[in-house]
PDB file of all heavy atoms in Angstrom:
ATOM      1  N   ASN A 924      24.189  -5.229  18.951  1.00 91.00           N
ATOM      2  CA  ASN A 924      25.093  -4.907  20.054  1.00 91.00           C
ATOM      3  C   ASN A 924      25.466  -3.430  20.048  1.00 91.00           C
ATOM      4  O   ASN A 924      25.363  -2.749  21.068  1.00 91.00           O
ATOM      5  CB  ASN A 924      26.342  -5.784  19.949  1.00 91.00           C
ATOM      6  CG  ASN A 924      27.222  -5.719  21.166  1.00 91.00           C
ATOM      7  OD1 ASN A 924      27.500  -4.653  21.694  1.00 91.00           O
ATOM      8  ND2 ASN A 924      27.673  -6.868  21.611  1.00 91.00           N
ATOM      9  N   GLY A 995      38.164 -24.369  15.906  1.00 86.00           N
ATOM     10  CA  GLY A 995      37.821 -25.780  15.806  1.00 86.00           C
ATOM     11  C   GLY A 995      37.249 -26.182  14.463  1.00 86.00           C
ATOM     12  O   GLY A 995      37.192 -27.374  14.139  1.00 86.00           O
ATOM     13  N   VAL A1030      49.483  -8.838  15.028  1.00 97.00           N
ATOM     14  CA  VAL A1030      48.080  -8.606  15.329  1.00 97.00           C
ATOM     15  C   VAL A1030      47.653  -9.554  16.453  1.00 97.00           C
ATOM     16  O   VAL A1030      48.156 -10.670  16.545  1.00 97.00           O
ATOM     17  CB  VAL A1030      47.216  -8.815  14.056  1.00 97.00           C
ATOM     18  CG1 VAL A1030      47.249 -10.243  13.579  1.00 97.00           C
ATOM     19  CG2 VAL A1030      45.802  -8.356  14.254  1.00 97.00           C
TER      20      VAL A1030
END
Side-chain angles (χ1 to χ4, degrees):
N924 191 315
V1030 65

